[in-house]
């Protein structure tokens, strides 16, 4: 396979595994697949996708947009997945995995600073 196609297949496989673990309700498996996905993003220098992942886990920074209200929209951001805090997953699983690529240091610093202000 051409290298780009192999990278796409790898990321697609990891995304599928994360979705499968969500459907099965396995928090431990989800955490491990998330870690491997973040490592793959770091290895592939996939900055845009890494930022999308971090944004999804970080969620909105104001309480009104986080789905905390009683009449929250069904598509509102949820602060947890499988009983795990998304922000804790970001801090303890995703960011350490992304840190394996020194080119992502600016991105890491940005999210760490934001997390410190919100946790």
């Amino acid at each position: 396979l051409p290298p780009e196609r192999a990278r796409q297949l790898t990321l697609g496989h990891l995304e599928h595994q994360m979705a499968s673990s969500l459907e099965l309700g396995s928090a431990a498996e989800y955490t491990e697949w998330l870690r491997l996905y973040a490592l793959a993003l770091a290895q592939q220098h996939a900055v845009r996708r890494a930022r999308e992942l971090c944004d999804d886990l970080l969620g909105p920074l104001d309480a009104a947009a986080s789905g905390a209200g009683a009449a929250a929209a069904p598509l509102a951001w949820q602060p947890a997945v499988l009983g795990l805090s998304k922000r804790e997953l970001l801090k303890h699983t995703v960011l350490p995995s992304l840190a394996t690529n020194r080119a992502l240091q600016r991105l890491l610093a940005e999210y760490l600073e934001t997390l410190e202000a919100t946790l």
Side-chain angles (χ1 to χ4, degrees), residues 3-93:
E4 181 58 31
R5 180 69 177 138
R7 285 191 290 275
Q8 291 172 350
L9 288 173
T10 297
L11 291 178
H13 172 72
L14 293 169
E15 290 168 349
H16 179 266
Q17 294 300 103
M18 288 182 350
S20 294
S21 61
L22 279 173
E23 288 299 315
L24 293 171
S26 176
E29 284 186 35
Y30 178 79
T31 302
E32 182 60 14
W33 288 116
L34 179 64
R35 183 186 71 77
L36 292 172
Y37 181 65
L39 277 171
L41 293 175
Q43 290 170 350
Q44 296 179 18
H45 307 287
V47 177
R48 184 184 55 80
R49 286 176 101 167
R51 184 172 293 281
E52 288 172 359
L53 175 62
C54 292
D55 285 345
D56 181 56
L57 293 172
L58 181 63
L61 299 177
D62 63 333
S66 68
L75 297 178
W77 181 78
Q78 299 298 314
V81 58
L82 299 174
L84 303 167
S85 164
K86 287 182 178 180
R87 290 181 178 169
E88 290 295 326
L89 284 171
L90 175 61
K91 184 175 184 178
H92 298 293
T93 303

Side-chain angles (χ1 to χ4, degrees), residues 38 42 47 50-51 54 90-91 93-116:
V47 177
R51 184 172 293 281
C54 292
L90 175 61
K91 184 175 184 178
T93 303
V94 172
L95 293 180
S97 296
L98 293 177
T100 61
N101 181 340
R102 293 185 56 85
L104 298 175
Q105 293 304 307
R106 183 177 295 166
L107 179 106
L108 294 170
E110 175 186 329
Y111 283 99
L112 281 172
E113 182 179 315
T114 304
L115 279 171
E116 292 301 320

